[in-house]
Amino acid sequence: MLDLAYYLIFSFALYIVGIYCLATKRNLIRLLLGVEMLVNAANINFITFAAYAAPGFVDSLGHSFAAISIGLAGALSAVALAVVVLLYRRYGTLDSDELKQLRG
Amino acid sequence: MQIIDVAPWLCWILPAIGALAALALNKVNRKAMNITVLSTTLLSCIMTLLMVPSLLNNSSIDHALFWFQIAGAQVNAGLLIDALSIIVANVVSFLSLLIMIYSTKYMAEDPSIARFWFFMSLFLSSMLLLVLADNFILMFIGWKLVSLCSFGLIGYYYRDEKEHWIGGPAPFPFQKPSRNGLKALLMTSFGDTALLAGIIILYLYSHTFNFMELIQTAGTWLPAMAATPGILALTCVLLLLGPLAKSAQFPFHEWLPEAMSGPTPVSALIHAATMVKAGVYLIARMLPIFFFAAWVAAPAYPEALTFFIMAGAIGAFTAFLGGTQAMVAKELKKVLAYSTMSAIGYMVLALGISGLSAGSLVAGTSSSIFFLINHGIFKVVLFLCAGVVIHSAGSIYLDHMNLSTKRMRFTLVSMWIGGLALMGVFPLSGFWSKDNVLIACLESGQYAIFAVAMISVVLTAFYVCRMMGLAFHTGTPDGNIHRDEEFRDRKLAEDHAHGEEGHWIEILPYGLLAALTVVIGLVGPLVSEFLSSAFSTYYANMGLEVAAETHTGFLGLSGLGLEVLVAAVSIVMILIGAVPAYFLYIKPTSNPSNLLPQTGIRRTLYNFLWNRWYINAFYNKVFVEPSIWVSKRVQRYIEDPLNQAINGGIPEGFKWLSRGLSRIQTGKLRINMLYLLVTIVIALIVLWLGGFI
Amino acid sequence: MFTLPFDLLLIFTVASPILGWVSPKQYRAKICGVFAAAALVVVGVALFGLYQDVVANAAVYLPSNALNFATLRVDALSIFMTAIFLGLGFAATIYSIAYVENSGRTPFYFTLILALISGMVGIVFAGDLLALYVFWELMSISSYALVAFFKEEGTPIEAGFKFLIMSAAGSATALFGISLIYGLTGTLNFEGLVAALSGATPNAWIYLAAVFVFVGFGVKTAVFPLHTWLPDAYSAASAPISAILSGIVIGPGVYALAKVFFTAFLPIQTAWTLAFAVLAVVTMLIGNITALRQTDLKRMLAYSSIGQVGYMLIGFAAASQLGLTGTFLQFFNHALMKGCAFLCAGAIIYRLGSRDISGMQGVGRKMPLTAFAFAISVAALVGLPPLCGFPGELTLFSSAVQADLTWLGVALLLNSVISAGFYLRIVYVLVQPVSSPAVEKIKESPLLMLIPILALMVLIILFGVWPDPLVNFAGDAANALISLGGNP
Amino acid sequence: MDTAIPSILLQAVIVPLIGALLCAFLGKYLKRNTGWIAAAATIYSTALLAYVAVQLWTQGGQLVETYTWGTIVFQLDFGFLADGLSIPVALAMSIICTAMTVYSINYMDHRIEHLYGKDKPGTYALYYALFLLFPVGLIGGALSTNTIELFLFLESGLFPFYILMDVFGYKDRHRIAMMSFVWTQIGAAVLLIGAVIAGVKAGSFAITSLSVLSGTDLGLLACGLILVGILMKMGTFGFHVWLPLVHAEHPTSIAAVLATIVGFGTYMIARLLFQNMFASFQLFSLPLMILAVVTMFYGAYLTMGQDDVKRLFACSTIGQTAYSILGLASMNAMGVEGGVFYFISHILGKAILFSVAGILVTQTGTRSIKEMGGLAGKMPLTATLCLLGAMILSAIPPLSGFQAEWILFTGVFMQGLTGTAYMILAILALFATFLTAVYTFWPAIRIFFGPTPAGMEKTKEAPLTMTAPLVALAVISVLIGLFPDIIMHFLTSVF
């Protein structure tokens, strides 16, 4: 089994990529992907910690949390996609920078 | 209850009721109003007369009632009845009564006479309160109220119609009655402020406001006061400033000439006979305290002499100052006003004398009070006559008068009696009191003051003769008066036929008083003797026992010899003043304007005197104009910029800040997410720098 | 299953769309609205029963007191928060009945409101971070949908999307932080966290977890600089939703931060109190100063909410029982005041059809009751006694002084003065004489809108004049949290 | 002491509040007569307070009413204390409010008609309902027993103050309303900071527990903050920029009440700092005295330069409140008694003067003194009232100003004897009072004396409801002036 550190580095990296994606990308769908990445970074943490909780055992709490979290992320995505569709209908674009009616 | 317990209270409460009655009855019935006011005045006068018996038995009664409490003490309201207060109260109420009678005719046609009665009655009430009060606080109430009444009466013609202006003629400035009232109020207020400071300092050491207690306990509190050098002198100065302002003494004398814009009875009562004497009264009232400090206490406190030196010097100077100005005045009432200043200068001077040597206390005080009585009487005569004269002549300027000596015989005679008494001609009342003052000067060794007083006698003789001459005998003017339109406008509406004698109701009061002047003159030495004995008992009761009179007299003379000498010298002095005036104005041998070339030293002197020594101008330049200058600029240069900076600037700043900060809200989703990232990064950096991770 | 009130709430939530489908179309809005309102009342009654239990036992656990299971734990704080949620939710629901009358998708609207409230109640009932997160997502998703609900207009959708992305990123960040906590302790139960971490010497991971949790929950709380979604979402959403969002959706964020920081992160308290102090000041300044020159009425109120969040953070900085009392009290009062203000603003906009403040001159003369309630709520927001804003600010200020952070209290008062600058502007515009024909036409708000507005106004005055019961309740709530953290 | 009426102090505070509600609901129907409801409420409060005062006079001691307000988190009693300090102050303020309510009836009629035209019944309800919050705040503030309660009552007048300015004020009223709100709010905030610091550290917000901190470093801080807060509310030099504007542009009936609110700081300093934090407060003697003297002169010169009749009296408030501060700064019983006495006297005078200004504005239609003149013949009663007001301010007996002023200055000179600097300040201050006569009488003369300008011939006397309350105030002032024991009996019992 690999050292815990590698998993953690991976999850942190995933998190950073996700945030970077959110902070730079302008396509609405990509933004959703960025959010998914963030959630998954956390999920990986849960799985990893569950595995490393006690030698030879897997902590069920971490796994269940990850499973629930995936489900919740799915719900989120569903709502988000619905909003994106509505947005596209109204604005005719998927560029987030075009959404600038609200400012100041 | 004895009459002496009630009379003092009634004598000042009655006129107050009269004052209110005047307002209440104004719309109801004028006649009833006049009668009510006169009867309250009469009753008040009777009440003061009822106090005279206790003057004869030299008692000093203090009626005190609980008034109110202050931290750690209480203040009582009481009336003090002693020689000083009885004499002054009688003078006030008697003169008031006569002047009120005179006014019923003089002011009869005035539409707002209720206001006149109100202020006159209130004045009488507060003047009596001032005189009878047994403590500083109660006295001060009367003191301020008389100022207020004076304000109301000087500005009686508040609409400032041209005929009531005073001053001029053009190009010299005219002053309006309303402004003159304010000027009088403010100048006396300035003195009052100082007086109040003095009273308070006195209280802080003595813990009492009561006049009698102040003197009785002086021995215990004076050491504490004298422990700090300067305090006693400061108190002297502060306490004197109030009376000096009230009595129109230098440097506060400037309000009096312009106070003549009030109705003539007002000038007679307030600005000649009574209110201006309040200062003299108060100095006399406070005098024992400082006399005690300067001469009786052991060790003596020489700082207390400040009081007497200041009074003597200022009194003498004002006597001279007033005399010089009266010599050139063009308005009849102003001549009398200047002469009032001068005469009060005499009284103040005499009071100063009384403390300048250990032995002249009684002589100084009694001569001063004697002068006060006499001056009150004959100055009222002069003013009341002046009222009739002005009505008759239809002008306030002496140059315009030239009245008939035939048709106005009563007025002429009365006025001459008053004038001669003012000059101090034997055997009228003024002679005795003036000589007493002069003797007191000599006896206490104050030769400088004596000399100034003597010069003033010359001046008095001159201006009285000039005034009478211009008014009745020749009417030859002495200046090159600009007889332009403005000047002609100043003539009063001619409601009397030119040169007509006054109504008998008007003549009666001043006739009576002129007679009284003669009577007092005839029994002068007796009155003088009576006053000295009254005051020596008065002071003895206070414990101001002074060693037997040790002065050696002047040139080895004393007693009768000295009196004769002084009388002789003063008669000479009167002649020195009167003779030139007689030949210039009464039986003119040359035109007085010939004495005044357009330029030259005499012209300069004339201008100097005419412009009142430039003192008024100086005050205007130094106090009035800068104050106005400053007040106009405070708003523009301090208040407005502050307002701009704070009330305008700070909101502007916030607006600017708000504009700047709202740029954070870009509306771009990417930037928002960047904030999130940055937050995490900064948090990590801070933690790292803090050594936490 | 989840205690009676919560069970009821969930059942009603599920039942409401069904009811909507079966009910006749023309009455649908009214029926659903009344149903939702009635549901909240029933839940409120049930909550009172639960409150008796909590008073008796300090905390009610479900299903058991085991450390490693998802649990609900109901204590005084939970009851306190739930009461606010239900109360303002009820007011907003009543109000909505009038507001959404003409909309086609009425049942969903009320379902979403109930779901939102369920989510929030779940959060405050949660006994561990797992349950908390689950209900957090329930709340979040409902709120996204609600912001974007009236999709006919453009800005709600835009605002909803921005809100969604930011908030979801925040939730994910919080989840990341929670995962780190899990890794550190192996448990998510709050009592377990206290037990596991209280004795431990702080290491880097715990700080790291704190940062992620703070950022995650901070987004929902709208702490500077994570507040940028808030003005958009509040101003674009419909009035009752704005009221709920502003009044109570801040609550779960504050609650979650408090719950985590006063249990798991107590060992590193010294590090975060100062951070909260600084953030409190910056947040309140940003909120209040930016609000100064807003022209959109709802946007101005939205910014002022950010300022209010700053006030609430003072309790964190003070980190004492008094401070938390102040935070919860301020939260309660803010729910009343800002709820009322948003409802009034909604009513005005509903009648006038415009949000521009300068166009509202004279509205107060046409809608006097609404304007009066607005003025009262605004005065309360400034913190004027005897209105309910004052006790909250006083408590917070006292706690700051007590914690030797007087400057923080000074900042609070200074901000309340600054805030007067824009709050009063609204009042001033409303009392102006009528100047435009648009205003000339309008009339007083509909009764159903007026009732919740006036009810809230009365509460604002009532709790201002007689704050003691409320202060004590908030004090109990703070005590519950403090004692959970182990230092009573 | 005890009284026959239960909860008498609570009643005195609550009744105007109930009156306010009545006015709010009935104003629409009663229109201008709403004022009589308001007047009834304030008269009732005044009567109750007068009754308490009489009881206090005869029985001595003090009357305390306590209602529990906060129990657990904060120990707060909602108490009312009537003692020798609070009763005269509360009574005086209540009388002013009563007089101003009656005065308003005609004045506001004119004002509302001028601003909004006829037939705006709602505005009457608004005005009187808000106006009645002033007596609530002022009476309650004077009777408070803890700092939070005091703050509460102080602030309760603030919002009405804002709205009234905004709705009924004169020129530039919106900006000034905002400004006044912010300024007084800042003042209140600073005051609150001090009070809370003291309260938290002393463990109780009761005013008496301030004494726990007296003399400590913390006490000095709290004392300083409270003082600065109060000085801001009192508009001393440096903090005064709001006062002339706010004071001048308010409807005059409110301006009179504002003078009361401004002067109320005197009471607060006496109650909070002098009575309870003396050891800390006395360190402020010299700076406070200097500030007071500067303010007196500044206020005097500022006032002298004014040509606007309302602004004139507004500016004079700056200097006049500084007198009271001077008295308090003298740190002895006489000074404080004088300071509080002067405050009471000043509000009587200022209420008269402001109302006279209001009468002038309503009757002549102009505010500029330059356009006025000779009005004494047209409106003799108003002229008399103006002069009486001027007499109160410039301390001319027999009005109350004189008694207050000499008592005050006795205290100041007592401090003056302790050092040369104090002495110089005392004498300077006394001469500043001389300027009062200049800036009150001079304008009075310009307005009422002299020839009547062309446009003013038709000016008439004001109706009786406007003058009668002022006459009553003047009579009260005369009574106090003649029998200062009416005030001093109470004040000496506490200092």
Side-chain angles (χ1 to χ4, degrees), chain C residues 12 31 140 174 202 378 396:
Chain C
F12 288 134
I31 289 174
S140 298
V378 155
L396 284 169

Side-chain angles (χ1 to χ4, degrees), chain B residues 658 665 667 672 679 684 692-693, chain C residues 162 207-208 228 289 293 303:
Chain B
S658 178
Q665 195 75 14
N672 293 355
T679 311
L684 293 178
F692 295 111
I693 54 173
Chain C
K162 286 179 178 172
Y207 288 108
L208 213 53
T228 43
I289 292 178
R293 55 179 291 279
Y303 273 110

Side-chain angles (χ1 to χ4, degrees), chain B residues 385-572:
Chain B
C385 291
V388 172
V389 165
I390 289 171
H391 266 203
S392 273
S395 168
I396 60 168
Y397 293 109
L398 285 167
D399 300 4
H400 281 194
M401 286 176 176
N402 195 14
L403 291 161
S404 158
T405 49
K406 299 242 164 59
R407 274 194 287 176
M408 297 185 67
R409 204 168 289 141
F410 286 111
T411 311
L412 177 73
V413 171
S414 304
M415 204 160 174
W416 262 116
I417 292 175
L420 291 175
L422 177 60
M423 285 158 73
V425 172
F426 182 82
L428 295 168
S429 63
F431 169 78
W432 303 107
S433 48
K434 184 196 67 196
D435 273 17
N436 281 356
V437 172
L438 294 172
I439 292 166
C441 289
L442 282 184
E443 281 183 343
S444 63
Q446 302 300 327
Y447 304 121
I449 293 179
F450 176 82
V452 177
M454 272 303 179
I455 296 169
S456 304
V457 172
V458 178
L459 302 178
T460 310
F462 182 86
Y463 68 69
V464 170
C465 288
R466 170 176 175 271
M467 175 183 81
M468 294 307 294
L470 285 175
F472 283 101
H473 298 285
T474 63
T476 315
D478 58 357
N480 309 9
I481 293 204
H482 301 256
R483 291 184 170 274
D484 53 13
E485 282 310 302
E486 176 72 13
F487 187 40
R488 215 158 287 140
D489 283 350
R490 296 282 296 107
K491 295 194 75 173
L492 298 172
E494 304 202 3
D495 42 2
H496 288 233
H498 197 77
E500 192 183 289
E501 180 62 289
H503 192 269
W504 67 269
I505 296 178
E506 292 173 330
I507 296 174
L508 178 74
Y510 58 76
L512 198 65
L513 289 172
L516 195 60
T517 308
V518 178
V519 171
I520 293 178
L522 294 177
V523 296
L526 291 176
V527 179
S528 160
E529 197 57 39
F530 169 74
L531 283 175
S532 326
S533 77
F535 275 99
S536 61
T537 328
Y538 167 75
Y539 285 126
N541 286 346
M542 282 180 197
L544 299 181
E545 297 286 1
V546 187
E549 300 194 6
T550 53
H551 56 79
T552 52
F554 178 64
L555 300 176
L557 285 170
S558 67
L560 194 61
L562 187 66
E563 283 175 31
V564 171
L565 175 74
V566 169
V569 174
S570 73
I571 286 168
V572 171

Side-chain angles (χ1 to χ4, degrees), chain C residues 19-71:
Chain C
L19 184 72
W21 290 326
V22 299
S23 56
K25 197 162 185 175
Q26 65 267 43
Y27 301 120
R28 188 175 284 167
K30 282 211 170 64
I31 289 174
C32 290
V34 171
F35 174 74
L40 290 172
V41 172
V42 171
V43 174
V45 173
L47 182 72
F48 189 70
L50 184 61
Y51 177 61
Q52 307 294 335
D53 288 354
V54 170
V55 171
N57 304 324
V60 173
Y61 295 89
L62 282 163
S64 71
N65 200 5
L67 284 183
N68 288 322
F69 295 96
T71 55

Side-chain angles (χ1 to χ4, degrees), chain A residues 1 9-10 16-17 22 28 35 37-38 43 46 50 57 60 63-64 66 72 77 80-81 86 90 92 95 104:
Chain A
M1 201 155 65
I9 289 166
F10 174 64
I16 298 295
V17 170
L22 285 169
L28 300 182
V35 171
M37 274 196 258
L38 294 184
N43 287 343
F46 275 112
F57 289 94
S60 60
H63 276 266
S64 47
L72 289 171
S77 300
L81 282 170
L86 290 173
R90 177 155 288 275
D95 185 349

Side-chain angles (χ1 to χ4, degrees), chain D residues 446-461:
Chain D
R446 288 163 67 200
I447 296 167
F448 290 107
F449 293 2
T452 315
M456 299 265 166
E457 265 106 23
K458 294 216 174 76
T459 314
K460 284 200 290 287
E461 184 64 274

